[in-house]
Amino acid sequence: MPQSGATSTPTGDRTGQRSAPATTIGQAAGAPTVTRVTAELAHRTRAADIFPTKWVRRSEFGFRVTAYWPADHSFFGPVDDLHQDPMIIAETLRQTTMALAHAEFGAPLDTHFVMGDLGISTAPSELLLADAAEPVTVDVVCSGVRRRGRGLSSMRTVMEFHRAGRLVARGTGGMGCTSPAAYRRLRAGQLAGPGTAISPSPPVPHELVGRRRAEDVVLSRSDRPGTWLLRVDTGHPVLFARPNDHVPGMVLFEAARQAATAATGGRVFLPSDLASSFSRYTELDRPCLLETEVLDKGGAGAEAGSPDRGDHGDGDEVTVRVFGLQNDEPVFTVSLTSAPHRRTPGPPPTPAPPPVRSLT
């Protein structure tokens, strides 16, 4: 995603590299330095959409981040009357990774991030609306840190999320960094802006995909059962907070979750596991078809919409695989599992990274 240039003088990070601007808080002698997450670091434009708020460095590649998950967020709001949206964990991981890449590992503010995979494992029973006021502690370990000159080439982050002393989720993601010049070369002939995006088609009913507002629906009906068309509204204040020349990863995650909800009958779908991989950019100026495959807890699969796939009760574990296609070529895959009674998150799923061309 194109980013604005630096707004203040870069500061030196503790690895000897030059980092993007960040706000640090004065501490008593010997106390760790606290760094604030700014809108530039998180690639957000509204303060309400920034979930990690500050961090301290604990080791060369380890950090402790403080985050907040508001119960009344305009997009990542309640899934039902009891639970917060697990997708806010994926967005917190994404923002945290970018903020650390800028401020701690020297990625300039105009860096284009390319995320090849992202996985989270959650305990839905710990994502209660009643706990929303509690801060979230995120322990982050960065690995595979590769440099390009004085900046960053790529790295992986692994995170654990705790709230009120309880483990809520685990997550991981791998990303690469591309300079503006390299990005222009990479995207030569494909740089479609928001003005060239295809017009949003009518949304499916918001109840079918687990949303409370029609404007947050990112699916339209297709002419084949069990499939949907991606609905892209570049004017959405959260999903398209900044101008973009391709469909952001957040939109693809949400489209996959909405497709999983629709494929399992429109019931509340609380993802306890999410694993994603990206094979190319999803373009704004052409249709994107989403196909779904529903698997029961035993692993036997049937296409969504098939009379043979069975009926999954609210307490059953069910996995839905969502495949995104443009021009009949794969662009992304997201696998989501809903396990409502899980009380402890497992290890985050880590799909083998394919050749990538997508995510922020």
Side-chain angles (χ1 to χ4, degrees):
M1 173 187 290
Q3 304 298 329
S4 58
T7 56
S8 61
T9 304
T11 58
D13 72 10
R14 285 168 292 281
T15 65
Q17 303 294 323
R18 300 287 282 178
S19 65
T23 302
T24 57
I25 305 169
Q27 299 290 301
T33 299
V34 178
T35 306
R36 292 286 185 187
V37 177
T38 65
E40 291 83 5
L41 295 177
H43 292 206
R44 297 286 89 195
T45 57
R46 305 190 311 176
D49 299 332
I50 302 172
F51 303 128
T53 61
K54 60 185 178 181
W55 76 83
V56 297
R57 181 187 281 266
R58 305 180 71 196
S59 64
E60 183 179 5
F61 298 109
F63 306 88
R64 173 159 287 177
V65 178
T66 300
Y68 287 89
W69 295 334
D72 58 350
H73 189 267
S74 61
F75 185 78
F76 295 100
V79 175
D80 52 22
D81 294 329
L82 183 63
H83 297 92
Q84 289 192 268
D85 186 354
M87 302 302 282
I88 202 170
I89 300 168
E91 178 59 13
T92 303
L93 186 152
R94 198 180 71 91
Q95 292 182 18
T96 299
T97 298
M98 292 187 294
L100 293 176
H102 285 312
E104 298 287 357
F105 296 101
L109 281 178
D110 58 0
T111 296
H112 294 260
F113 291 107
V114 182
M115 187 167 284
D117 66 274
L118 185 148
I120 60 171
S121 175
T122 73
S125 61
E126 301 297 346
L127 277 171
L128 300 179
L129 287 170
D131 295 331
E134 293 283 345
V136 178
T137 299
V138 189
D139 288 326
V140 184
V141 175
C142 302
S143 63
V145 177
R146 296 183 178 180
R147 299 288 187 178
R148 180 182 290 116
R150 297 178 64 83
L152 180 67
S153 174
S154 63
M155 74 175 184
R156 171 167 291 279
T157 53
V158 176
M159 305 187 190
E160 285 196 350
F161 302 78
H162 291 81
R163 185 164 64 179
R166 298 186 297 272
L167 180 62
V168 177
R170 294 184 172 98
T172 186
M175 70 162 194
C177 303
T178 305
S179 69
Y183 187 79
R184 286 192 296 270
R185 293 193 298 270
L186 178 68
R187 298 284 287 151
Q190 297 290 337
L191 291 175
T196 63
I198 58 176
S199 299
S201 46
V204 300
H206 63 90
E207 302 90 348
L208 177 66
V209 294
R211 300 302 309 194
R212 300 192 176 195
R213 307 186 310 168
E215 53 264 44
D216 293 332
V217 175
V218 296
L219 298 184
S220 296
R221 294 194 184 279
S222 76
D223 57 3
R224 285 198 292 149
T227 68
W228 290 266
L229 289 172
L230 182 66
R231 181 177 184 271
V232 176
D233 177 8
T234 58
H236 194 286
V238 178
L239 296 178
F240 281 88
R242 293 169 177 253
N244 213 323
D245 71 318
H246 61 276
V247 180
M250 189 196 311
V251 179
L252 304 181
F253 289 143
E254 179 60 24
R257 190 264 296 274
Q258 291 187 18
T261 304
T264 52
R267 299 180 181 88
V268 172
F269 193 97
L270 283 169
S272 56
D273 291 286
L274 178 150
S276 62
S277 62
F278 302 86
S279 53
R280 64 187 68 240
Y281 289 109
T282 303
E283 306 295 349
L284 292 167
D285 58 354
R286 64 203 67 171
C288 178
L289 182 71
L290 276 70
E291 297 181 343
T292 57
E293 180 185 20
V294 179
L295 309 174
D296 63 23
K297 60 185 177 181
E303 291 185 1
S306 166
D308 298 326
R309 75 178 179 87
D311 185 22
H312 300 279
D314 290 340
D316 291 340
E317 176 178 305
V318 57
T319 296
V320 182
R321 293 174 184 161
V322 183
F323 308 91
L325 302 168
Q326 277 191 327
N327 297 335
D328 294 324
E329 294 185 351
V331 287
F332 69 91
T333 301
V334 180
S335 178
L336 307 97
T337 297
S338 178
H341 300 302
R342 172 188 286 177
R343 306 193 67 86
T344 303
T350 308
V356 295
R357 291 289 187 270
S358 195
L359 192 58
T360 61

